[in-house]
């Protein structure tokens, strides 16, 4: 089973599927799974449920035909190291088939567990498992390590399939109890896996997780009680004190600190206010007693997670020892090199406009930042990501947080609606005093969609954006000049203070005829897309979406071209003009 608590989502579409889901709901938890939700239904409700499950769960069990399952999940799959496990069970309960992430999210293991419960046959098709050999992903998970080089996975597994044995070299000195399971496997033709905090010169690199321990304990607990609980917890999970980066607690006495010192592990005290504000959804469970007594969702798990920062996850849920001490462990991926920021355009808001390059970059980031609209576009890709929601008035705070995480070595995707190369230069420039490793990934701009819907070819019309801070006088004058000369323009109004009503009022007051046509396009490509055709003198007095573009003036294309319809065959006399 992979590191971290496995949250499982069950989805059925038939009465028989409902029955089997009920069996698994009761039978999977004793095997170490947490079944946190069930869903039954059909049609759009299934699509919505699967989208939510891809974000929030580690494994999804679908009671349906494989063909249907593939169609439902295909739009959400991106990367083998970030996709959840997906297992499909047929309606008669004869087969449990891993469909996605057989190795990296242990769908194979889940399928075998489900088959054992339902008396079904697990259908395992991955080459290493079919041959009875362990994959490099499985080995890395058992050793509590990540694999920084994705290409290494393909190479190593190919060699394992060909029959080469695995030798584990461990210059880090960590995971010694777990590495012992691989002793005696060294041979002349072995492939070498190397556990190291630094990239090795040879071999396949396994980078050990950072691991923290969080503590809670009763008022009467002694230093010896806490120390014994930590030792028992480590022994249970085949870990040594050398594997723990930090022990932490929010208790104000010195018991936890003295126990940590006795064990030779660094101690960090967490402020109680941080625990009170902690997001309880990140915990394996909440403590009703702690909530009532202290106003906190728990003690040991929040402290363990807070010690490792926003990208941490629960490794081993809290356990109680002698009703005096609770111990939990969290983990976080150790940065494998320098930080990097991807500035990504996610398209005009419809998920079908998101490019594959954007999907891959987001999947390979551990932090995703952006305003709420672009974050909503990529929602199915945000599983196990630390998400920074940027707000207009708190933009500087978010930029500072991104810079800090970059310095710590994190890979960060910063999202923009539309195209990151258009109208976003000012914001991107605010990062570049510190961010020296970055990549700009362009997207499909809403301006392109607006051009198509208004028949304003980009090569002949002006595009003027008011998505800037500070005075707008120069851009206003440019717009007025274009329209005064009979030109046309696609305009991006500035949210809050220079929206369609204000733009139109300025133009009329500047001498532009009030009968000039304008098409106001809101939320392009979204389900709530809205288009309003009027003149600048008759713009409706209402609230407009921030995702708004105005097409001002008349299309330069011939009328018969426009009437022929976009993408349709044009009349011969038009084509010959």
């Amino acid at each position: 089973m992979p590191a971290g608590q496995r949250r499982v989502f069950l989805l059925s579409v038939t009465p028989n599927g409902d029955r089997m889901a009920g069996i698994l709901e009761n039978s999977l938890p004793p095997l170490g799974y947490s079944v946190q939700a069930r869903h039954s239904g059909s049609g759009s409700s299934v699509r919505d449920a699967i989208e939510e499950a891809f974000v929030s769960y580690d494994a999804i069990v679908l009671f349906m035909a494989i063909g249907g399952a593939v169609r439902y999940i295909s739009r959400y799959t991106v990367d083998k190291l970030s996709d959840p496990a997906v297992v499909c069970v047929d309606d008669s309960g004869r087969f449990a088939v891993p469909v996605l992430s057989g190795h990296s999210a242990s769908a194979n293991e889940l399928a075998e567990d489900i088959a054992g419960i339902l008396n079904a046959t697990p259908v395992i098709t991955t080459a290493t498992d079919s041959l009875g050999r362990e994959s490099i992903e499985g080995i890395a998970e058992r050793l509590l390590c990540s694999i920084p080089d994705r290409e290494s996975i393909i190479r190593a597994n190919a060699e394992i399939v060909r029959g080469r044995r695995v030798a584990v070299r461990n210059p880090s000195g960590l995971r010694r109890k777990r590495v012992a399971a691989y002793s005696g496997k060294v041979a002349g033709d072995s492939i070498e896996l190397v556990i190291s905090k630094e990239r090795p010169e040879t071999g396949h690199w396994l980078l050990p997780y950072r691991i923290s321990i969080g503590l809670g304990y009763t008022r009467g607990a002694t230093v010896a009680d806490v120390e014994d609980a930590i030792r028992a917890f480590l022994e249970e999970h085949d870990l040594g004190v050398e594997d723990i980066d930090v022990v932490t607690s929010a208790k104000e006495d010195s018991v936890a600190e003295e126990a940590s010192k006795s064990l030779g592990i660094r101690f960090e005290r967490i402020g109680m206010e941080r625990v009170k504000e902690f997001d309880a959804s990140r915990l394996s469970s909440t403590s009703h007693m702690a909530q009532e007594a202290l106003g906190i969702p728990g003690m040991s798990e929040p402290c363990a997670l807070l010690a490792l920062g926003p990208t941490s996850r629960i490794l081993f849920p809290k356990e109680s020892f002698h009703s005096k001490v609770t111990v939990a462990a969290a983990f976080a991926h150790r940065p494998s090199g320098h930080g990097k920021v991807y500035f990504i355009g996610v398209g005009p808001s419809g998920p079908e406009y998101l490019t594959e390059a954007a999907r891959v970059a987001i999947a390979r980031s551990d932090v995703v930042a952006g305003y709420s609209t672009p974050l909503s576009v990529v929602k199915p890709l945000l599983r196990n990501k630390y998400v920074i929601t940027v707000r207009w008035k708190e933009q500087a705070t978010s930029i500072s947080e991104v810079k800090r995480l970059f310095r710590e070595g994190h890979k960060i995707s910063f999202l923009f609606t539309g195209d990151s190369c258009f109208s976003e230069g000012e914001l991107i420039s605010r990062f570049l005093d510190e961010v020296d490793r970055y990549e700009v990934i362009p997207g499909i701009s809403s301006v392109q969609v607006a051009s198509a819907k208004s028949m304003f070819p980009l090569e002949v019309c002006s595009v003027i954006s008011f998505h800037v801070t500070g005075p707008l006088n120069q851009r206003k004058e440019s717009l007025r000049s274009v329209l005064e000369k009979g030109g046309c323009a696609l305009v991006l109004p500035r949210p809050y203070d220079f929206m369609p009503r204000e733009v139109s009022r300025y133009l009329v007051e500047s001498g532009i005829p009030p009968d000039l046509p304008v098409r106001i396009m809101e939320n392009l490509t979204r389900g709530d897309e809205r288009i309003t055709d009027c003149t600048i003198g008759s713009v409706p007095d209402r609230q407009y979406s921030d995702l708004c573009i105005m097409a001002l003036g008349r299309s330069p294309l011939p009328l018969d071209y426009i009437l022929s319809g976009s993408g349709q065959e044009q009349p011969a006399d038009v084509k010959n003009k």
Side-chain angles (χ1 to χ4, degrees):
M1 183 178 297
Q5 183 196 26
R6 297 197 70 192
R7 302 157 294 180
V8 180
F9 182 85
L10 307 174
L11 187 148
S12 55
V13 294
T14 67
N16 208 30
D18 291 346
R19 179 187 63 80
M20 290 185 287
I23 294 172
L24 294 187
E25 190 171 23
N26 294 320
S27 302
L28 282 175
L31 300 179
Y33 299 92
S34 173
V35 181
Q36 298 183 348
R38 278 182 60 190
H39 176 86
S40 60
S42 60
S44 61
S45 68
V46 173
R47 286 191 292 272
D48 294 343
I50 289 177
E51 177 176 318
E52 183 64 35
F54 256 74
V55 181
S56 305
Y57 295 89
D58 302 303
I60 303 170
V61 182
L62 302 176
F63 296 89
M64 62 176 67
I66 288 180
V70 170
R71 276 188 285 273
Y72 276 124
I73 70 174
S74 60
R75 68 183 299 178
Y76 307 123
T77 61
V78 177
D79 183 88
K80 70 180 298 174
L81 293 186
S82 60
D83 290 335
V86 176
V87 174
C88 194
V89 179
D90 68 295
D91 197 54
S92 60
R94 292 179 301 165
F95 304 106
V97 187
V99 178
L100 191 66
S101 302
H103 287 155
S104 56
S106 293
N108 290 350
E109 184 178 349
L110 175 58
E112 290 174 343
D113 289 338
I114 290 172
I117 294 168
L118 299 178
N119 195 27
T121 300
V123 182
I124 309 299
T125 59
T126 46
T128 51
D129 297 82
S130 299
L131 296 171
R133 301 185 179 115
E134 191 171 17
S135 68
I136 185 175
E137 300 102 312
I139 295 171
E141 288 288 358
R142 293 182 189 281
L143 298 178
L144 304 181
C145 294
S146 62
I147 308 172
D149 181 6
R150 282 171 165 76
E151 295 301 318
S152 180
I153 298 174
I154 299 172
R155 295 195 306 270
N157 281 337
E159 293 171 5
I160 291 171
V161 167
R162 293 189 186 101
R164 297 187 66 185
R165 296 187 177 185
V166 174
V168 177
R169 183 162 61 87
N170 186 18
S172 72
L174 304 177
R175 315 293 191 262
R176 286 181 291 195
K177 292 184 177 181
R178 291 173 174 250
V179 169
Y182 296 93
S183 62
K185 295 186 178 182
V186 180
D189 63 345
S190 296
I191 63 170
E192 185 179 54
L193 309 185
V194 184
I195 304 177
S196 174
K197 295 180 182 179
E198 306 292 335
R199 182 182 293 276
E201 294 184 3
T202 60
H204 299 278
W205 185 19
L206 303 185
L207 181 61
Y209 298 149
R210 297 164 59 217
I211 299 176
S212 64
I213 280 181
L215 297 173
Y217 45 89
T218 62
R219 184 174 299 177
T222 65
V223 172
D225 291 330
V226 172
E227 186 176 340
D228 289 345
I230 294 174
R231 289 188 184 278
F233 185 83
L234 295 178
E235 182 68 26
E236 177 184 349
H237 296 292
D238 292 326
L239 294 171
V241 294
E242 70 278 358
D243 293 309
I244 308 305
D245 292 83
V246 60
V247 171
T248 183
S249 180
K251 302 285 282 188
E252 296 181 353
D253 55 46
S254 61
V255 172
E257 184 173 8
E258 290 181 25
S260 302
K261 184 178 180 180
S262 176
L263 292 168
I265 309 173
R266 182 173 69 87
F267 177 79
E268 178 182 334
R269 196 179 311 280
I270 300 293
M272 187 64 79
E273 287 303 314
R274 294 179 66 194
V275 179
K276 288 181 179 179
E277 296 170 359
F278 193 79
D279 178 7
S281 67
R282 295 178 60 194
L283 307 178
S284 68
S285 63
T286 56
S287 169
H288 183 69
M289 184 181 301
Q291 190 66 56
E292 283 194 343
L294 302 171
I296 60 176
M299 178 68 80
S300 55
E301 288 191 7
C303 287
L305 291 164
L306 285 165
L308 296 182
T311 62
S312 58
R313 293 180 60 201
I314 293 296
L315 178 60
F316 301 118
K318 65 182 179 183
E319 296 180 44
S320 177
F321 292 86
H322 306 298
S323 300
K324 292 182 177 181
V325 183
T326 58
V327 185
F331 77 101
H333 290 284
R334 198 180 300 272
S336 59
H338 298 291
K340 185 173 183 178
V341 177
Y342 300 95
F343 297 109
I344 300 174
V346 302
S349 293
E352 65 273 18
Y353 287 86
L354 184 67
T355 67
E356 185 65 18
R359 289 163 62 87
V360 170
I362 293 167
R364 295 184 177 182
S365 298
D366 47 0
V367 179
V368 181
Y371 286 96
S372 58
T373 296
L375 287 173
S376 68
V377 174
V378 304
K379 182 181 177 182
L381 308 181
L382 298 181
R383 192 177 77 91
N384 295 334
K385 311 291 186 190
Y386 173 55
V387 177
I388 302 172
T389 302
V390 181
R391 295 175 175 82
W392 181 263
K393 294 183 179 180
E394 301 167 3
Q395 192 181 85
T397 301
S398 298
I399 291 172
S400 296
E401 186 173 8
V402 169
K403 289 179 178 178
R404 176 181 61 80
L405 293 168
F406 167 80
R407 291 193 299 270
E408 292 176 2
H410 291 283
K411 304 294 189 298
I412 305 159
S413 287
F414 196 99
L415 310 182
F416 300 93
T417 302
D419 183 4
S420 54
C421 301
F422 179 78
S423 194
E424 303 295 356
E426 181 185 52
L427 179 53
I428 291 175
S429 68
R430 297 178 64 185
F431 291 89
L432 303 187
D433 57 334
E434 294 188 41
V435 175
D436 57 358
R437 286 173 52 84
Y438 64 91
E439 181 179 345
V440 178
I441 298 177
I444 297 172
S445 174
S446 56
V447 172
Q448 294 170 271
V449 181
S451 169
K453 288 186 175 289
S454 61
M455 302 308 294
F456 278 24
L458 294 176
E459 72 270 19
V460 297
C461 77
S462 297
V463 180
I464 299 175
S465 172
F466 291 98
H467 287 189
V468 294
T469 56
L472 302 177
N473 295 342
Q474 186 175 352
R475 295 179 184 232
K476 288 181 178 180
E477 176 58 27
S478 296
L479 174 60
R480 186 201 62 78
S481 177
V482 166
L483 299 177
E484 187 177 59
K485 295 174 183 178
C488 60
L490 291 171
V491 172
L492 282 72
R494 182 161 76 180
Y496 309 116
D497 66 347
F498 200 58
M499 291 296 277
R501 284 283 295 174
E502 290 77 19
V503 172
S504 300
R505 187 182 301 117
Y506 160 75
L507 292 173
V508 172
E509 291 174 353
S510 299
I512 303 300
D515 63 350
L516 183 79
V518 56
R519 170 168 282 194
I520 304 170
M521 294 162 279
E522 303 170 79
N523 303 324
L524 288 171
T525 75
R526 287 179 24 162
D528 57 348
E529 178 179 299
R530 183 176 186 177
I531 296 178
T532 304
D533 289 310
C534 55
T535 65
I536 61 172
S538 62
V539 173
D541 186 10
R542 62 174 175 81
Q543 187 173 359
Y544 292 87
S545 168
D546 293 347
L547 303 176
C548 178
I549 297 181
M550 303 171 71
L552 288 152
R554 294 175 174 82
S555 172
L557 295 174
L559 179 61
D560 48 4
Y561 179 93
I562 298 173
L563 294 177
S564 71
S566 175
Q568 298 180 12
E569 182 68 12
Q570 302 164 23
D573 60 330
V574 174
K575 290 192 285 187
N576 294 332
K577 288 182 180 179

